Amino acid sequence: MDTISLVSGDGVANLQVTLVRDDTGLSFNAGGADVNLRLRKKGSTAVLATINYANDASDPTDGRVVFNMSTFLTTADEGFYEGEVEVTFADDSSQTVYQIINFRVRAQF
């Protein structure tokens, strides 16, 4: 997967992901579940932020979830980060997307 480039301090940065089943290639129905993006500094084990998907911009029943990155970017230092998507269902069981999302954050001019 490519590295997603972001700028520290941006207030309108969004990340859209589409959850797809490996076995069928169809979108994953995450309706009724919490979908979160957990972020950490590359090479670290400490989770720096957990971002819940934006309800108004997402359609989790069709696998499409949007994360508002602006809160993370207000405190993010310049550098490399990685994120993982985790889906938590109503019965508290969870499923983590295997593929890691890579980010690069640069400072404002």
Side-chain angles (χ1 to χ4, degrees), residues 46-59:
V47 174
L48 298 174
T50 300
I51 303 170
N52 192 266
Y53 76 94
N55 288 325
D56 58 338
S58 300
D59 183 3

Side-chain angles (χ1 to χ4, degrees), residues 29-102:
N29 182 350
D34 275 335
V35 184
N36 293 300
L37 174 66
R38 300 178 338 146
L39 296 160
R40 67 183 181 191
K41 191 87 166 169
K42 191 116 176 143
S44 172
T45 59
V47 174
L48 298 174
T50 300
I51 303 170
N52 192 266
Y53 76 94
N55 288 325
D56 58 338
S58 300
D59 183 3
T61 60
D62 196 27
R64 184 176 54 85
V65 290
V66 177
F67 299 101
N68 181 333
M69 303 296 288
S70 61
T71 302
F72 169 70
L73 290 174
T74 60
T75 59
D77 294 326
E78 191 169 11
F80 290 87
Y81 296 84
E82 56 190 5
E84 72 176 8
V85 175
E86 182 179 57
V87 181
T88 304
F89 301 96
D91 65 358
D92 284 332
S93 63
S94 64
Q95 183 172 1
T96 304
V97 176
Y98 183 80
Q99 188 171 15
I100 291 178
I101 303 169
N102 293 297

Side-chain angles (χ1 to χ4, degrees), residues 1-55:
M1 172 176 262
D2 293 334
T3 299
I4 297 168
S5 298
L6 300 167
V7 178
S8 180
D10 279 359
V12 191
N14 289 318
L15 171 69
Q16 178 178 309
V17 299
T18 301
L19 304 174
V20 177
R21 294 179 53 103
D22 265 350
D23 58 346
T24 64
L26 300 173
S27 60
F28 178 82
N29 182 350
D34 275 335
V35 184
N36 293 300
L37 174 66
R38 300 178 338 146
L39 296 160
R40 67 183 181 191
K41 191 87 166 169
K42 191 116 176 143
S44 172
T45 59
V47 174
L48 298 174
T50 300
I51 303 170
N52 192 266
Y53 76 94
N55 288 325

